[in-house]
Amino acid sequence: MEQFSNSIVDISYQQTGAATAVNTLGMREMQALAYEARDKRFLLIKAPPASGKSRALMFIALEKLVNQGIKKVIVAVPEKSIGRSFKNTNLVNSGFFANWEVPPYFNLTDVKNEQDKKGRFIEFFHHKGAKVLICAHATLRNGMKELPDEMFNDTLLAIDEFHHTSADANSNLGDVVRRVMYHSTGHIIAMTGSYFRGDGIPVLRPEDEVKFFPITYNYYQQLNGYKYLKNLILGYHFYHGSYLDHIGEVLDTHKKTIIHIPSVNQRAATGLGKYQETADIMKVIGTLDHKDYNTGIYYLKAADGRILKVADLVEDEQKERNMVQGYLQNIKDRDDVDIIIALGTAKEGFDWQWCEMCLTVGVRGSLTEVIQIIGRCTRDCEGKETARFVNMIAMPEAEQAEVKVAVNDFLKAITASLLMEQVMAPSWKFKTVKDDDEPHEDLVHTIVVEGLKPLSSVKTKTIVESQLDDLKATILQDDMVVKALSGSTTAETITQHLIPKVIRERYPDLNEGEVEEVRQRVLLDTIIKGNDIIDEKGNPISTITDEEDKPSEGNRLIKIANRFINIDKLSINLIDTINPFQRAYEVISKSVDAKTLKVIQDTIAEQKYDMTLEQAITLFKGPLKEYVAKHDGKVPSVDDPDPKVRELAIALQKIKNLKQRKLSGLEYEE
């Protein structure tokens, strides 16, 4: 059987070391940025996995305990394994004024410390000497049911992976946040690597979100400032049949790897059950040498004789699971584990710095989940130059009638990859008029755009400067936008109607002028980050700098939708005729070979227009023949800028697809 594997995104970084270099207080770049806002009552830290959010919380929490009147600190994490990130940490040796210390009795994420967690959570508030408690989100929710709101007076609540909170009235975690905000004197630090949810519900209500001071640190800042990690590769591997028959083609047992198998409800699931799938993957890795029943770790012998340590987090039996999690929480060396097999765990907040590759089976519908999984392999670590995220996806069979379902799955995956390109690209500033008095260094990544509305309020400046990637993620998850992207909706409808609708829903306090200001920046940022800036010879231009360094006016070009457009002539009207998100189809074309690409492209082309067979035949017999005759036998292209020509191309494609299905003896209902 054939299979195909290609990189969709391959990004190289400068390795400046800025992201991991520490200042005189022992703080890395992001941590110092957050510490500057230490006096804020409500602080929202939006930074990618592995950027140092856990230690940033330690610095700020200790400052609040010592100098701001805070008496107690509660840190809530989504799952017990993440509690390891908040273990005792020596900060004094690096220049800070105190160490981070968690009493074992009040570390409710320790798998060896499972008894009466809700009771100890409540006891913590009455214990005069206890300052810090670590617990799971579930323990926080359950414990708060037994406590009055005023118990959180003079308490700092830190919530890790804050996207688990929801603005929904039925969200218990969201209710806890609102109780602390409005019915106590407590402080809140919210931390997340992905400030959006898979279900499309906002994390915070707009009236609540405006009270939080945002600290934003993006993927590009982090990875560009790493010392060791140089490349990040995002790719897809397409397979026929069962993924178990092909996982060995992408699994490199020489790389520290986390394998996420599909849930039983996913189309990629084999039907054998998660335990059998795990066992079959272990057989691909090697033969069982022995199992350590004190740790739960399997020792497998690879074909070349190497002994590999494999952790099974798919196992549901509580004692066995706690044993393995306890082992993983205490690993201190690169050779302590080689491969981790998981289902719903080892995603967000899971700290394994040596991880080089995340191998995920099946399409992930949630952008949050994709980002969190990628974050498992993007921690900077000596000896790790390249991190990889590989998604195994079932290849649609050309002869199957349900090929449309498979193509739809492709589009979901590609949408996620599109987001990855955006959050990992450098930031750009857009201006209406160039300010000659501005320092040259501020002109890097700056583009002058005709017709661009200036930002008129603090609200729009905050959105554009610190929330733009989150907003784009929300847009990409909107049901109407998703349907429009895979249908025949025009670029103008998407950019001028659907995107503003999402902006209004997310920021209901914006007036129409402010909505337009934000809309324009969303489109500009998406187009610039999704395409290479090049000169007229096709060579990349990494930045647009001051007058002395920039290329000549005629050379500053940007490649958009396969056309060359002069940046100085880039206007909002022009942008509105381009659908920047439609670039998903270009990404598909990089991912498969010619034969399979033809199947996918033909199916997509046919679906982009809601055209009946009768309409296609009418166009085929009349306007299409006239077009071909007029253009010396040249057939119309689905990429033609003229919508009428594209319609003819779709009609031709529909007729050709029908003919191909008849030749293969396969037809399906219109």
Side-chain angles (χ1 to χ4, degrees):
M1 301 296 285
E2 294 177 285
Q3 69 285 327
F4 310 90
S5 183
N6 282 88
S7 299
I8 288 180
V9 184
D10 188 347
I11 310 171
S12 295
Y13 297 94
Q14 295 178 9
Q15 294 177 295
T16 65
T20 52
V22 297
N23 62 15
T24 55
L25 294 177
M27 298 178 188
R28 287 158 52 179
E29 186 178 43
M30 186 281 291
Q31 295 157 355
L33 183 67
Y35 193 68
E36 290 178 5
R38 59 190 178 277
D39 60 337
K40 304 297 182 182
R41 184 183 170 196
F42 304 129
L43 186 61
L44 175 58
I45 301 175
K46 296 182 288 184
S51 59
K53 294 187 292 295
S54 303
R55 190 163 295 198
L57 177 275
M58 298 176 192
F59 289 124
I60 299 172
L62 289 170
E63 158 68 21
K64 288 182 178 291
L65 281 170
V66 174
N67 298 317
Q68 296 184 28
I70 291 296
K71 306 299 183 186
K72 294 183 179 294
V73 175
I74 292 177
V75 182
V77 298
E79 59 179 77
K80 291 180 292 185
S81 63
I82 302 176
R84 177 174 181 260
S85 300
F86 298 93
K87 64 183 179 181
N88 291 349
T89 304
N90 187 320
L91 303 175
V92 172
N93 287 351
S94 299
F96 201 61
F97 61 77
N99 290 324
W100 175 258
E101 297 177 348
V102 183
Y105 185 76
F106 289 117
N107 181 1
L108 308 185
T109 64
D110 189 340
V111 295
K112 300 177 182 178
N113 201 12
E114 289 283 302
Q115 72 283 359
D116 192 23
K117 288 183 285 189
K118 184 172 79 170
R120 280 183 288 150
F121 178 88
I122 296 172
E123 180 185 347
F124 172 74
F125 287 90
H126 303 284
H127 194 295
K128 292 184 179 180
K131 298 293 184 182
V132 179
L133 176 140
I134 312 293
C135 69
H137 287 176
T139 305
L140 171 66
R141 294 193 302 264
N142 294 332
M144 283 294 286
K145 293 177 182 178
E146 308 294 328
L147 293 172
D149 297 346
E150 57 267 23
M151 289 300 290
F152 260 87
N153 287 342
D154 302 324
T155 296
L156 168 63
L157 172 61
I159 301 180
D160 195 22
E161 308 300 350
F162 192 64
H163 55 272
H164 283 262
T165 308
S166 169
D168 190 278
N170 297 318
S171 168
N172 292 328
L173 191 56
D175 182 60
V176 168
V177 171
R178 290 186 286 273
R179 286 173 60 187
V180 174
M181 289 182 68
Y182 296 108
H183 302 291
S184 80
T185 63
H187 292 207
I188 297 175
I189 295 179
M191 301 172 288
T192 182
S194 50
Y195 190 62
F196 49 90
R197 295 168 53 86
D199 56 13
I201 300 174
V203 175
L204 284 173
R205 296 171 182 173
E207 62 270 25
D208 298 335
E209 183 172 349
V210 73
K211 298 181 183 298
F212 279 81
F213 185 84
I215 296 294
T216 301
Y217 189 78
N218 64 33
Y219 251 117
Y220 183 81
Q221 289 173 286
Q222 177 194 356
L223 296 174
N224 202 51
Y226 269 170
K227 184 177 180 181
Y228 303 107
L229 185 61
K230 182 179 179 181
N231 302 303
L232 174 61
I233 296 175
L234 310 179
Y236 291 95
H237 183 90
F238 304 99
Y239 64 89
H240 291 296
S242 168
Y243 80 87
L244 293 172
D245 295 331
H246 299 283
I247 194 168
E249 296 155 4
V250 288
L251 176 59
D252 183 349
T253 59
H254 290 85
K255 300 184 186 304
K256 304 295 183 181
T257 302
I258 299 177
I259 302 172
H260 281 107
I261 67 173
S263 69
V264 66
N265 296 320
Q266 284 186 273
R267 291 177 59 242
T270 64
L272 300 173
K274 60 184 181 180
Y275 297 132
Q276 186 59 51
E277 289 182 17
T278 302
D280 288 346
I281 291 173
M282 288 195 184
K283 292 177 182 177
V284 173
I285 297 170
T287 56
L288 179 63
D289 185 85
H290 71 281
K291 177 181 179 181
D292 186 338
Y293 288 95
N294 294 314
T295 62
I297 298 298
Y298 290 86
Y299 288 72
L300 304 180
K301 189 173 184 179
D304 59 6
R306 289 175 297 124
I307 298 296
L308 302 173
K309 299 176 184 177
V310 180
D312 174 10
L313 289 179
V314 178
E315 175 61 59
D316 282 331
E317 200 277 319
Q318 192 66 37
K319 182 178 178 181
E320 184 82 9
R321 190 181 184 85
N322 284 345
M323 187 187 306
V324 176
Q325 287 183 333
Y327 176 84
L328 294 177
Q329 286 179 355
N330 291 289
I331 57 177
K332 296 179 173 61
D333 188 82
R334 188 181 191 279
D335 294 328
D336 285 344
V337 67
D338 296 292
I339 297 173
I340 297 173
I341 305 174
L343 181 59
T345 57
K347 294 177 183 176
E348 51 192 16
F350 185 78
D351 184 2
W352 184 25
Q353 63 178 318
W354 296 282
C355 179
E356 300 167 274
M357 180 176 181
C358 290
L359 175 54
T360 301
V361 182
V363 173
R364 304 290 155 152
S366 165
L367 301 180
T368 300
E369 185 177 6
V370 173
I371 284 184
Q372 291 291 348
I373 292 175
I374 290 173
R376 298 317 100 215
C377 63
T378 56
R379 294 181 183 271
D380 200 31
C381 178
E382 186 173 2
K384 183 169 70 175
E385 183 177 284
T386 299
R388 289 176 173 83
F389 167 76
V390 177
N391 195 179
M392 292 187 68
I393 302 175
M395 177 69 72
E397 299 284 354
E399 64 272 13
Q400 290 182 349
E402 55 269 15
V403 65
K404 292 184 178 181
V405 177
V407 171
N408 185 55
D409 281 353
F410 271 80
L411 295 181
K412 289 180 184 177
I414 300 307
T415 301
S417 75
L418 179 64
L419 177 69
M420 293 301 99
E421 291 194 15
Q422 292 167 358
V423 298
M424 293 178 196
S427 298
W428 291 86
K429 295 181 180 179
F430 306 103
K431 296 183 178 182
T432 55
V433 180
K434 183 177 175 182
D435 186 353
D436 293 331
D437 296 329
E438 190 172 359
H440 288 320
E441 59 267 24
D442 289 339
L443 293 177
V444 176
H445 302 317
T446 299
I447 292 177
V448 179
V449 181
E450 294 178 357
L452 182 65
K453 289 182 175 293
L455 299 175
S456 62
S457 68
V458 174
K459 291 182 292 185
T460 56
K461 288 179 181 177
T462 300
I463 293 169
V464 170
E465 292 174 1
S466 63
Q467 301 174 12
L468 209 55
D469 284 328
D470 302 328
L471 176 56
K472 285 187 291 187
T474 301
I475 290 169
L476 285 171
Q477 293 183 104
D478 181 80
D479 286 341
M480 292 184 68
V481 173
V482 171
K483 291 177 182 177
L485 290 177
S486 58
S488 58
T489 308
T490 64
E492 289 85 348
T493 298
I494 295 173
T495 60
Q496 297 180 24
H497 299 287
L498 298 183
I499 290 177
K501 176 191 76 70
V502 177
I503 295 172
R504 292 187 196 99
E505 290 173 352
R506 174 153 183 164
Y507 304 105
D509 57 331
L510 296 183
N511 60 42
E512 285 305 303
E514 291 170 328
V515 168
E516 176 62 13
E517 294 166 18
V518 174
R519 181 193 77 92
Q520 292 181 359
R521 266 66 178 192
V522 167
L523 296 178
L524 282 167
D525 196 66
T526 303
I527 289 172
I528 297 301
K529 287 185 177 181
N531 295 272
D532 297 324
I533 296 179
I534 59 178
D535 61 24
E536 80 273 10
K537 295 181 180 180
N539 299 316
I541 302 172
S542 59
T543 59
I544 294 176
T545 56
D546 56 272
E547 290 293 339
E548 295 180 358
D549 296 330
K550 72 182 181 182
S552 65
E553 295 301 314
N555 292 349
R556 295 198 299 151
L557 304 170
I558 183 168
K559 185 180 181 184
I560 300 177
N562 295 323
R563 286 173 285 173
F564 292 104
I565 297 173
N566 192 305
I567 286 181
D568 288 336
K569 301 300 181 184
L570 190 62
S571 68
I572 294 302
N573 289 336
L574 176 60
I575 289 172
D576 285 337
T577 66
I578 301 169
N579 178 3
F581 302 103
Q582 209 67 26
R583 193 169 179 271
Y585 297 113
E586 293 183 33
V587 180
I588 286 181
S589 69
K590 299 175 185 176
S591 319
V592 294
D593 75 340
K595 178 182 176 182
T596 308
L597 172 61
K598 189 69 168 62
V599 175
I600 296 173
Q601 287 184 328
D602 288 353
T603 306
I604 290 175
E606 186 175 334
Q607 291 182 38
K608 286 182 69 175
Y609 282 79
D610 185 16
M611 182 184 294
T612 66
L613 180 59
E614 289 73 18
Q615 290 172 319
I617 293 174
T618 299
L619 290 171
F620 182 81
K621 291 180 177 179
L624 180 58
K625 285 188 174 182
E626 294 173 4
Y627 178 91
V628 173
K630 183 178 179 180
H631 292 82
D632 299 324
K634 179 183 177 182
V635 297
S637 169
V638 293
D639 297 319
D640 195 286
D642 187 337
K644 293 183 178 179
V645 177
R646 293 199 300 268
E647 186 177 46
L648 295 179
I650 296 302
L652 177 61
Q653 190 61 64
K654 195 172 186 71
I655 297 296
K656 289 170 64 178
N657 289 355
L658 177 63
K659 182 178 179 180
Q660 183 62 39
R661 288 194 290 270
K662 284 185 175 180
L663 289 174
S664 64
L666 176 69
E667 294 188 54
Y668 59 84
E669 294 182 1
E670 293 291 331

